[in-house]
C-alpha cells in the first residue's frame, strides 16, 4: 500500500482517500486520476488528507482487498472523520457488501463521500443511493455477462479459461489441457486409495511425503483433497456453468471408480455432519425496545422436550439485566409484520410517485461542487468585464494585460471543471426510480437476502412495545427516531397506518 499525507491550512475535519482500479486492461493512470480529483475536492472544501489507500487490479465485487481492509481497520482508530471516493463503486460493487462495510464505518463515526456522486444528507438520500447502487450493479453484471460469453466459448473450444491449474493437468501451447505425467498418477492413486479404505489424512500425508505439490507449489491439505475427489474433470468433463463438454479434459479416472468414491464420501460425511445453519435476523440494528430504547438482538433456544429450535428477538436491557421488562418476540412474527408493511408501500402507487419526486428533488439540488464552481466563474467573469471596461477607458498597462490573460486562463480551466462535473453526474429520471420500485416488487419475500434488502432500503427504525409497534420509514420527512413519549400515544393500528401514509 502506498501512503501519502497532505496538510493544508484551512481545515474543518480530517479526510482519508481510497482509490481502486479493477483489471489489468485499465491503465494505472486511472488511480492517479482518481486521487487527483479526490485531492482537488479536499482542497476545495478545506479537508486535511491524512492518508491514501490504494488497491491496484482488485475487483470491487470482493472484499479481499488489502488496502480496503486496512482502511476499514484504521477507521476504528478514529484517525480520520470521513473517506472520500471518486465513485461509490470504488468502495464496493455488491449492495450487501457495500452496506455491511458502510455500516462498519458509520459505527466508527466515519462518513463516506463521493467526488462524482452527491448523495443528499436526507431520508431520500438512502433511496437515491440504492438507485445508484442498482445502476452500478447492473453495469457490473452486464460486464460479467460479456466475460461469461467468452468463457463459455473457450469451454466449447476445449481451451483453458485461466486460473489455477487442476492437479494432474498442464496446458500446452494451444491452451488445451493435457495430462501431467508427474502428478496425474498421484491423482489416480488418491482415488484408488480412498476407494480401498484410506482416510483423507492418510492420502494427504502420503502425497506430501512423495513431494506432490499443488500448481501453486503449496503442500496438499484436507480441503484440497476433498475438492480433488469431487472433481469431475478427472472423468473428462469440462464444465462452466450450464456448458458441459464431456471430453474437454483427458480422462484420468474411470466412471466406476469415481462413483464408488462419491458414495463412500457421502457415508463418511453423513456420520460427521453437524448442523451449523443459523437463520439471519434481518431486523438487527433496526429494531428497538419501546420500553427502554435499547436495541433488540436475535437469539435462539432449543426445546428440551422435542429439540425444536425457537428463534426470537430480545432486548439487550433484558439480556444484560439492566431493569427492562420487555418480553421477547418471535422472530418470524415481527419480521413478517415489517415485510408486510413494506410491500404495502411498494403497491401504493400514489405514495411511490411522491417518493420518486422527492428523490429527484434531492438529487437535483444536492451537487455541492457545481454551485462553488459557478460562483468562482461568476467572480472571474466580473473581473474580466472590469478589466475590459478599464481598457476601453484607455487604462492599459503590462499588469493589466497579464491579469486579463490570467483570468481568461482560469475561466477556461473552470469551464472544463464545470463540464466534467456536469458530465459525471449520473442521469437519473423518474422512470429509473419507478422501474427500480417495480423490480423490488418482484422480490421473493420468503428469501432471506431479499427480505434484508427490503428492510435496509425502506426501514429507518422499528420501536416494539408489548402492545404496539411503530415503524419509521426512510422516505418520511422526520426519519429520526421518535421520542418514547410520542410513540406511546399511538396504537398498533394507527402507528402502522401513519407510517404507510404519504409524507
Amino acid at each position: 500500500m502506498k501512503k501519502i499525507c497532505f496538510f493544508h491550512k484551512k481545515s474543518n475535519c480530517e479526510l482519508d482517500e481510497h482509490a481502486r482500479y479493477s483489471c489489468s486492461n485499465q491503465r494505472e493512470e486511472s488511480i492517479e486520476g482518481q486521487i487527483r480529483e479526490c485531492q482537488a475536492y479536499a482542497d476545495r472544501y478545506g479537508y486535511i488528507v491524512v492518508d491514501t489507500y490504494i488497491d491496484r487490479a482488485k475487483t470491487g465485487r470482493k472484499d479481499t482487498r488489502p488496502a480496503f481492509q486496512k482502511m476499514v481497520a484504521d477507521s476504528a482508530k478514529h484517525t480520520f472523520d470521513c473517506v472520500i471516493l471518486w465513485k461509490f463503486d470504488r468502495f464496493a460493487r455488491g449492495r450487501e457488501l457495500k452496506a455491511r462495510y458502510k455500516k462498519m464505518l458509520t459505527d466508527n463515526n466515519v462518513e463516506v463521500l463521493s467526488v462524482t456522486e452527491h448523495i443528499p444528507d436526507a431520508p431520500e438520500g438512502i433511496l437515491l443511493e440504492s438507485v445508484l447502487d442498482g445502476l452500478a450493479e447492473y453495469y457490473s453484471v452486464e460486464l460479467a455477462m460479456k466475460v461469461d460469453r467468452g468463457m463459455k466459448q473457450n469451454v466449447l473450444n476445449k481451451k483453458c479459461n485461466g486460473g489455477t491449474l487442476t492437479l494432474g493437468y498442464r496446458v500446452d501451447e494451444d491452451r488445451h489441457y493435457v495430462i501431467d505425467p508427474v502428478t496425474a498418477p498421484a491423482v489416480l492413486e488418491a482415488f484408488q486409495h480412498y476407494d480401498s479404505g484410506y482416510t483423507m489424512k492418510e492420502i494427504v500425508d502420503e502425497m506430501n511425503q512423495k513431494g506432490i505439490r499443488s500448481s501453486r507449489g503449496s503442500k496438499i491439505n484436507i480441503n484440497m483433497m476433498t475438492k480433488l475427489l469431487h472433481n469431475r474433470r478427472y472423468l473428462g468433463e469440462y464444465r462452466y456453468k450450464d456448458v458441459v463438454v464431456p471430453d474437454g479434459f483427458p480422462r484420468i479416472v474411470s466412471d466406476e471408480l469415481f462413483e464408488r468414491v462419491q458414495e463412500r464420501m457421502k457415508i463418511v460425511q453423513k456420520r460427521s455432519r453437524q448442523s451449523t445453519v443459523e437463520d439471519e435476523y434481518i431486523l438487527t440494528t433496526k429494531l428497538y425496545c419501546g420500553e427502554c430504547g435499547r436495541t433488540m438482538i436475535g437469539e435462539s433456544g432449543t426445546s428440551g422436550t422435542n429439540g425444536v429450535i425457537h428463534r426470537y428477538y430480545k432486548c439487550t436491557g433484558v439480556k444484560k439485566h439492566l431493569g427492562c421488562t420487555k418480553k421477547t418476540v418471535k422472530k418470524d412474527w415481527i419480521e413478517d409484520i415489517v415485510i408486510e408493511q413494506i410491500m404495502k408501500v411498494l403497491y401504493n402507487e400514489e405514495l411511490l410517485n411522491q417518493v420518486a419526486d422527492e428523490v429527484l428533488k434531492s438529487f437535483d439540488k444536492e451537487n455541492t461542487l457545481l454551485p462553488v464552481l459557478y460562483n468562482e466563474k461568476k467572480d472571474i467573469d466580473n473581473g474580466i468585464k472590469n478589466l475590459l471596461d478599464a481598457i476601453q477607458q484607455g487604462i492599459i498597462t503590462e499588469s493589466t494585460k497579464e491579469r486579463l490573460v490570467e483570468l481568461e486562463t482560469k475561466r477556461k480551466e473552470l469551464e472544463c471543471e464545470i463540464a466534467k462535473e456536469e458530465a459525471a453526474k449520473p442521469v437519473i429520471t423518474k422512470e429509473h426510480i419507478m422501474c427500480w420500485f417495480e423490480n423490488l416488487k418482484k422480490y421473493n419475500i420468503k428469501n432471506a437476502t431479499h427480505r434484508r434488502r427490503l428492510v435496509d432500503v425502506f426501514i429507518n427504525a422499528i420501536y416494539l412495545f408489548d402492545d404496539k409497534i411503530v415503524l419509521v420509514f426512510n422516505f418520511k420527512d422526520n426519519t429520526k427516531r421518535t421520542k418514547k413519549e410520542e410513540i406511546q400515544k399511538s396504537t398498533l393500528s394507527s402507528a402502522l397506518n401513519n407510517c404507510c401514509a404519504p409524507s
Side-chain angles (χ1 to χ4, degrees):
M1 182 190 70
K2 181 180 179 182
K3 290 187 177 181
I4 305 175
C5 291
F6 302 93
F7 299 93
H8 304 279
K9 294 181 181 179
K10 295 191 302 177
S11 68
N12 52 17
C13 79
E14 294 181 337
L15 182 79
D16 160 74
E17 294 179 359
H18 181 263
R20 170 181 66 80
Y21 83 110
S22 57
C23 75
S24 57
N25 292 330
Q26 285 183 281
R27 296 183 304 164
E28 189 164 309
E29 288 84 353
S30 64
I31 282 278
E32 279 59 46
Q34 291 173 38
I35 294 174
R36 185 169 55 252
E37 296 197 28
C38 289
Q39 182 63 69
Y41 185 94
D43 291 342
R44 190 173 301 280
Y45 291 101
Y47 293 123
I48 295 176
V49 180
V50 297
D51 213 338
T52 302
Y53 298 86
I54 300 174
D55 280 309
R56 300 183 187 274
K58 300 290 183 181
T59 175
R61 300 185 73 170
K62 297 182 180 179
D63 59 357
T64 53
R65 292 173 270 152
F68 177 78
Q69 289 295 340
K70 188 174 189 310
M71 179 268 292
V72 174
D74 287 350
S75 70
K77 301 175 184 177
H78 307 295
T79 56
F80 48 82
D81 301 303
C82 49
V83 177
I84 186 169
L85 317 163
W86 182 63
K87 290 183 69 175
F88 281 117
D89 63 8
R90 303 296 89 184
F91 187 75
R93 286 207 175 191
R95 280 176 283 188
E96 289 83 3
L97 193 68
K98 178 183 174 184
R100 181 165 75 250
Y101 282 101
K102 192 171 181 183
K103 183 181 184 303
M104 288 184 189
L105 294 179
T106 301
D107 290 344
N108 293 330
N109 296 317
V110 173
E111 185 180 3
V112 181
L113 303 174
S114 167
V115 173
T116 59
E117 297 166 326
H118 306 285
I119 302 299
D121 185 18
E124 295 80 8
I126 298 172
L127 295 176
L128 174 58
E129 189 171 353
S130 295
V131 173
L132 292 173
D133 288 346
L135 291 174
E137 190 169 15
Y138 166 77
Y139 290 123
S140 181
V141 170
E142 184 183 36
L143 176 61
M145 289 175 63
K146 293 178 181 177
V147 173
D148 185 61
R149 285 196 295 270
M151 301 279 271
K152 288 181 177 179
Q153 190 57 48
N154 279 343
V155 172
L156 293 171
N157 294 333
K158 304 179 184 179
K159 289 189 174 182
C160 175
N161 257 332
T164 305
L165 275 175
T166 302
L167 190 69
Y169 299 102
R170 59 184 178 83
V171 178
D172 64 15
E173 61 275 6
D174 294 324
R175 295 176 57 214
H176 292 116
Y177 290 101
V178 295
I179 291 286
D180 181 355
V182 176
T183 58
V187 170
L188 177 58
E189 194 173 63
F191 275 89
Q192 291 170 339
H193 283 179
Y194 192 81
D195 180 44
S196 64
Y198 281 53
T199 65
M200 288 271 195
K201 187 177 185 308
E202 288 172 339
I203 299 172
V204 167
D205 290 343
E206 184 180 41
M207 292 186 78
N208 284 327
Q209 287 172 6
K210 291 181 178 179
I212 302 296
R213 298 290 181 264
S214 72
S215 59
R216 294 182 176 179
S218 60
K219 288 187 175 183
I220 308 299
N221 57 40
I222 296 293
N223 284 338
M224 291 180 190
M225 183 54 59
T226 302
K227 291 178 181 178
L228 183 150
L229 295 177
H230 278 300
N231 198 336
R232 298 186 65 85
R233 287 186 174 184
Y234 298 123
L235 294 174
E237 286 186 8
Y238 193 178
R239 179 184 298 270
Y240 179 76
K241 296 187 177 180
D242 58 335
V243 177
V244 181
V245 179
D247 58 346
F249 277 79
R251 178 188 284 270
I252 293 177
V253 178
S254 69
D255 290 342
E256 296 77 16
L257 175 59
F258 189 87
E259 290 305 320
R260 289 199 303 270
V261 167
Q262 304 314 302
E263 286 301 317
R264 181 167 181 241
M265 291 179 74
K266 288 178 184 178
I267 294 171
V268 173
Q269 185 180 23
K270 186 175 181 180
R271 291 172 184 168
S272 61
R273 183 182 296 135
Q274 294 179 346
S275 178
T276 57
V277 178
E278 293 184 6
D279 272 5
E280 183 181 11
Y281 293 85
I282 65 173
L283 303 185
T284 302
T285 74
K286 303 276 188 179
L287 185 62
Y288 293 85
C289 173
E291 299 300 327
C292 70
R294 297 183 179 91
T295 55
M296 298 186 71
I297 58 175
E299 282 199 349
S300 64
T302 305
S303 172
T305 56
N306 54 19
V308 175
I309 298 176
H310 300 281
R311 295 178 174 84
Y312 49 89
Y313 285 95
K314 187 174 188 177
C315 173
T316 53
V318 175
K319 183 178 176 66
K320 296 179 180 179
H321 307 290
L322 299 177
C324 183
T325 59
K326 176 75 184 73
K327 298 176 183 177
T328 59
V329 293
K330 291 181 179 179
K331 171 185 178 295
D332 292 341
W333 176 79
I334 181 63
E335 289 182 358
D336 286 346
I337 286 178
V338 173
I339 294 298
E340 179 185 354
Q341 297 307 315
I342 291 173
M343 296 311 293
K344 285 183 179 179
V345 170
L346 274 174
Y347 282 92
N348 184 334
E349 294 300 323
E350 182 181 353
L351 175 57
L352 290 185
N353 272 285
Q354 292 183 31
V355 172
D357 289 337
E358 289 302 314
V359 171
L360 282 177
K361 284 181 187 177
S362 298
F363 182 65
D364 290 338
K365 70 183 180 182
E366 188 52 30
N367 193 316
T368 56
L369 182 57
L370 276 173
V372 175
L373 295 175
Y374 289 146
N375 286 335
E376 287 187 23
K377 183 175 180 296
K378 183 179 179 181
D379 292 340
I380 289 175
D381 288 339
N382 289 335
I384 292 175
K385 181 179 181 300
N386 292 336
L387 285 174
L388 291 175
D389 289 343
I391 291 173
Q392 287 177 352
Q393 295 175 17
I395 305 174
I396 304 175
T397 64
E398 286 299 320
S399 59
T400 303
K401 294 179 181 178
E402 289 177 4
R403 180 59 178 161
L404 182 59
V405 171
E406 179 184 338
L407 288 176
E408 287 180 339
T409 301
K410 182 63 177 175
R411 181 167 65 177
K412 288 180 180 179
E413 292 175 354
L414 276 172
E415 287 173 346
C416 288
E417 285 190 59
I418 290 171
K420 184 165 60 176
E421 181 68 17
E422 290 175 337
K425 184 178 179 181
V427 178
I428 295 181
T429 65
K430 186 172 181 179
E431 287 71 24
H432 280 135
I433 298 171
M434 296 304 292
C435 181
W436 177 64
F437 283 139
E438 287 299 319
N439 287 333
L440 293 181
K441 291 179 184 179
K442 299 174 185 176
Y443 275 14
N444 178 4
I445 62 173
K446 298 298 182 182
N447 179 283
T449 300
H450 289 183
R451 288 163 72 91
R452 164 72 73 180
R453 284 185 182 177
L454 290 170
V455 169
D456 286 344
V457 168
F458 285 98
I459 300 298
N460 183 277
I462 308 156
Y463 296 89
L464 181 61
F465 292 85
D466 286 340
D467 59 344
K468 54 183 171 285
I469 302 170
V470 174
L471 295 169
V472 183
F473 284 87
N474 283 322
F475 54 80
K476 298 292 288 183
D477 289 335
N478 178 15
T479 59
K480 295 180 180 179
R481 298 184 182 94
T482 311
K483 293 180 180 179
K484 181 177 178 181
E485 296 78 15
E486 295 174 351
I487 295 173
Q488 289 173 330
K489 295 177 183 177
S490 303
T491 64
L492 171 60
S493 176
S494 64
L496 293 178
N497 288 336
N498 287 338
C499 286
C500 291
S503 56

